[in-house]
Amino acid sequence: KGDLLYPSYYMTHLSVPPNRLLNHYQVWDKVVIGVDVKSYGGMLLDSIYILGRPGEVADSSNNWNLSTFPSMHASNMFIVDKGEGEPQVSVPKANMIAELTKLAIAPSSMDQFRKIRVQKPLSLGFDGNLKPSSPILYPVIADRDASLGRAMMFARFTTVMDYAERILLAKEIWPAFPTKLLDYQNVLERETYYFDNCKAGQVIRIDIAGKFSSCPARFHGEATNVVSVGILSFVIELYEQTSNTLLVVSTVKKLIIVPTYQQSLLRDAERLLSYYGTTD
């Protein structure tokens, strides 16, 4: 029919080893990104990504060690680019995309996508004791968050969730986390399911719960100039405030690593663990 399609993400699952955090890769560093994409039924894509340095990533995905390097599993569905109404899944016209390895069964992410869509909120089964007094609101602003008249890019949802985490820890609980301590967060895992989107002028309601768990001081590895002080875990659900539409459901884990010379922050972390901490 001549409709435009785009491969919309419905799931991303980032995993980062504690001894190879994302901040190990700096601006201007040379990196290698491996990508392996498979197809199911012509309309679903299932992909794996891996991040390493030159010489570290094998040519074949069969030889990738996903536990050694930062990696991501992602799933897409081809959507008709209409901009309004319920998303319509479609199959690209023949010969419009590369020939891809075909999966015999649907990606497991699709079952999980359907399950999360209909089950009770994740926060109800989460034992986190860090909760805001009321939902956190985030206004979607033109040019900052979304182009005028267009839906927000999926990557922007990560910024929205990071904002909610920081508001929760620095402003919504007491005793609060020192803001300098929050600067030393490092993502270990982020699993996100995307159900809908929003545009500039709308407001996102963020339901969030978290917990702070102890971990070994060398959880990050052998480096002695830093100390692993604890792991933050969150469950986050985003809704469009006016329509109450579910947008995103995500679970997140972050490791706080503090330089050894920051003795005051190390003591702050110990104090917060004594107040909020669990032993998960």
Side-chain angles (χ1 to χ4, degrees), residues 38-53:
K38 295 180 173 64
S39 173
Y40 176 76
M43 65 179 63
L44 297 183
L45 301 178
D46 197 59
S47 52
I48 297 174
Y49 310 82
I50 188 169
L51 172 64
R53 302 188 186 283

Side-chain angles (χ1 to χ4, degrees), residues 121-261:
L122 289 181
S123 57
L124 296 182
F126 181 64
D127 60 351
N129 56 355
L130 308 176
K131 298 178 180 180
S133 57
S134 59
I136 296 168
L137 302 181
Y138 184 95
V140 181
I141 297 176
D143 294 330
R144 184 192 71 179
D145 300 305
S147 299
L148 194 61
R150 300 292 296 179
M152 197 165 72
M153 296 291 288
F154 284 118
R156 191 66 184 172
F157 282 119
T158 298
T159 301
V160 174
M161 291 186 285
D162 284 343
Y163 167 82
E165 294 167 17
R166 202 170 187 93
I167 292 296
L168 169 65
L169 299 175
K171 296 184 180 299
E172 286 288 333
I173 60 172
W174 192 261
F177 281 61
T179 54
K180 286 185 178 180
L181 185 62
L182 298 179
D183 292 339
Y184 291 110
Q185 295 180 88
N186 299 270
V187 176
L188 293 176
E189 186 173 10
R190 186 192 302 274
E191 184 174 8
T192 306
Y193 290 84
Y194 308 90
F195 299 99
D196 214 316
N197 211 327
C198 54
K199 296 182 177 181
Q202 296 181 309
V203 176
I204 299 175
R205 167 187 165 135
I206 308 164
D207 290 348
I208 182 171
K211 65 180 178 181
F212 191 30
S213 307
S214 59
C215 68
R218 291 288 174 263
F219 188 78
H220 59 275
E222 298 303 318
T224 58
N225 61 333
V226 293
V227 178
S228 296
V229 300
I231 295 174
L232 287 163
S233 303
F234 302 95
V235 294
I236 306 172
E237 291 156 355
L238 308 184
Y239 298 83
E240 197 285 309
Q241 186 183 36
T242 300
S243 63
N244 302 320
T245 300
L246 176 64
L247 305 176
V248 168
V249 174
S250 186
T251 57
V252 185
K253 286 187 178 181
K254 293 184 175 182
L255 174 65
I256 297 181
I257 301 179
V258 178
T260 52
Y261 68 84

Side-chain angles (χ1 to χ4, degrees), residues 62-107:
N62 294 329
N63 297 320
W64 292 350
N65 186 343
L66 300 181
S67 63
T68 301
F69 303 101
S71 64
M72 187 171 77
H73 178 205
S75 298
N76 309 69
M77 59 180 77
F78 282 103
I79 300 292
V80 178
D81 189 8
K82 290 185 175 180
E84 300 292 342
E86 285 283 327
Q88 179 184 339
V89 181
S90 188
V91 177
K93 187 178 178 179
N95 301 319
M96 294 299 290
I97 62 172
E99 187 68 26
L100 299 174
T101 301
K102 294 177 174 59
L103 296 171
I105 59 175

